[in-house]
Amino acid sequence: MLKKEARLITGGLSAPSKMPGYAYNLPAQACITGEALVKIPRSVCSGCYALKGRYRFTNVKEALKRRLASLGDPRWIQAMVVLITGERWFRWHDSGDLQSPEHLQAIFEVCNQTPLTRHWLPTRERKFFKNMDPEEVPSNLIIRQSSHMINQAPVKSWPWSSTVMDDGSHTCPASKQDNKCMDCRQCWDRSVKNISYGKH
């Protein structure tokens, strides 16, 4: 499969300016847990960045819809492998989130077939891996379960987590370096149990 065909099947990858590599995004409107949280003041999803700014452009909305629709294509795994192979770092869902257990298993297979790529998946959809042993997660993938509220403590039910803080205690250095990862790779690092981001 050629990359051109793979992009047509999947809707292509996104390229967040903050990241050291590519990502894959879905419409924030399709977030399952986020759909409820966005209505709750002081939730991490309240004022979601993926519901404003460039995400409101027609061409961006259409691209996000194509990616969401592509999840049901039987060629999706192979196409994602074609697009990701050769990348050192990859982020799942710079907007949007997991849609189903089948979606998560498809991501696992993509990770298994791209062993030289380090994958990071932040999510609020704990129900899709609630009974999963962390050992079942491909070794080149880290799933970070995100706390729902600003200044909320890290979750205890999963070994890797992320939080959002507005009290200056965040550990993500991006706010001090032009909102970019630069040489930081904490999010992909399994030895870092929790990453705390500054509210933006």
Side-chain angles (χ1 to χ4, degrees):
M1 181 185 295
L2 298 176
K3 284 196 173 184
K4 182 177 180 181
E5 181 184 2
R7 284 192 289 268
L8 289 173
I9 291 168
T10 63
L13 304 180
S14 57
S17 58
K18 175 181 178 179
M19 298 287 137
Y22 289 101
Y24 193 72
N25 56 20
L26 299 172
Q29 293 86 346
C31 290
I32 300 168
T33 299
E35 183 182 29
L37 288 175
V38 75
K39 302 168 188 174
I40 300 175
R42 298 288 294 171
S43 79
V44 172
C45 296
S46 177
C48 175
Y49 67 86
L51 293 174
K52 54 192 177 183
R54 66 180 185 83
Y55 290 93
R56 294 182 295 179
F57 296 168
T58 300
N59 62 323
V60 175
K61 287 182 178 179
E62 292 303 316
L64 292 168
K65 288 179 183 177
R66 286 194 300 273
R67 292 185 188 118
L68 183 63
S70 77
L71 297 180
D73 193 308
R75 302 168 296 173
W76 187 85
I77 292 173
Q78 181 187 2
M80 288 299 295
V81 169
V82 168
L83 294 177
I84 294 172
T85 295
E87 299 298 328
R88 291 187 63 195
W89 310 95
F90 192 79
R91 174 180 175 172
W92 291 93
H93 310 141
D94 51 301
S95 69
D97 207 333
L98 292 171
Q99 298 295 300
S100 67
E102 293 76 18
H103 183 196
L104 179 58
Q105 290 301 319
I107 289 173
F108 280 9
E109 187 55 33
V110 173
C111 293
N112 285 330
Q113 294 190 39
T114 55
L116 300 182
T117 302
R118 298 282 294 278
H119 297 261
W120 159 42
L121 168 60
T123 182
R124 304 190 194 291
E125 303 302 343
R126 176 69 172 118
K127 59 184 172 291
F128 297 144
F129 55 102
K130 184 176 181 181
N131 299 314
M132 183 178 291
D133 185 327
E135 292 296 321
E136 296 176 52
V137 179
S139 61
N140 61 330
L141 167 66
I142 184 169
I143 299 176
R144 290 195 181 274
Q145 187 181 347
S146 304
S147 296
H148 294 338
M149 304 300 292
I150 295 169
N151 295 338
Q152 185 178 9
V155 298
K156 303 295 185 184
S157 56
W158 189 251
W160 307 289
S161 58
S162 63
T163 54
V164 173
M165 315 300 283
D166 68 356
D167 60 3
S169 66
H170 59 277
T171 58
C172 171
S175 62
K176 299 176 182 178
Q177 47 195 37
D178 197 28
N179 289 318
K180 291 180 168 56
C181 297
M182 304 297 280
D183 61 355
C184 179
R185 299 293 181 271
Q186 292 184 79
C187 294
W188 289 267
D189 188 344
R190 285 189 174 201
S191 72
V192 179
K193 299 304 182 184
N194 183 69
I195 299 287
S196 59
Y197 305 102
K199 185 180 182 301
H200 58 78

